């Protein structure tokens, strides 16, 4: 059995039912497990920043929502995931949505 909490499993299942793969992956990357986000989840989110048909504002909102969690582990993993996307994700998409349109020219 993995270290995911029941809450993490229920939240991921809710996102599966609604068909939101991005939100499900954000939830799985920011679980209550005391370990870093899994590489496969980070890689999928980076890939999403390069796709034209992915809802980047939804990705940003999902990450922001996880930072309001009462668990410090979830908040910290949300910040790590956000940092990882800012460093390795598509710069144009990240700047437009996560940083509110700030583009370094």
């Amino acid at each position: 059995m993995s270290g995911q909490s029941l809450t993490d499993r229920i939240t991921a299942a809710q996102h599966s039912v609604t068909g939101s793969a991005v939100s499900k992956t954000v939830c799985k990357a920011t679980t209550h497990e005391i370990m870093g986000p899994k590489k496969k989840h980070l890689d999928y989110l980076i890939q999403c920043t390069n796709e034209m048909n992915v809802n980047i504002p939804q990705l940003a909102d999902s990450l922001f929502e996880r930072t309001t969690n009462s668990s410090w582990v979830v908040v910290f993993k949300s910040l790590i995931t956000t940092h990882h996307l800012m460093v390795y994700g598509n710069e144009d998409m990240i700047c437009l949505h996560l940083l509110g349109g700030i583009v370094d020219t």
Side-chain angles (χ1 to χ4, degrees), residues 61-95:
D61 288 344
S62 296
L63 278 170
F64 180 73
E65 181 182 324
R66 298 295 280 176
T67 62
T68 62
N69 194 291
S70 61
S71 169
W72 69 268
V73 176
V74 173
V75 173
F76 190 62
K77 288 171 87 170
S78 299
L79 295 173
I80 291 170
T81 303
T82 302
H83 178 263
H84 197 80
L85 288 175
M86 291 173 70
V87 172
Y88 300 108
N90 184 325
E91 184 177 318
D92 295 333
M93 298 299 263
I94 299 302
C95 287

Side-chain angles (χ1 to χ4, degrees), residues 14-68:
Q14 287 173 335
H15 293 303
S16 292
V17 169
T18 61
S20 176
V22 171
S23 294
K24 177 182 174 186
T25 305
V26 167
C27 179
K28 287 182 166 265
T30 59
T31 61
H32 288 82
E33 293 178 276
I34 301 180
M35 60 183 272
K38 290 185 178 176
K39 183 178 180 343
K40 68 180 180 180
H41 301 308
L42 294 176
D43 289 344
Y44 177 77
L45 292 173
I46 289 169
Q47 178 187 354
C48 287
T49 65
N50 292 311
E51 299 290 328
M52 296 306 281
N53 61 344
V54 173
N55 190 345
I56 299 297
Q58 178 189 15
L59 170 61
D61 288 344
S62 296
L63 278 170
F64 180 73
E65 181 182 324
R66 298 295 280 176
T67 62
T68 62

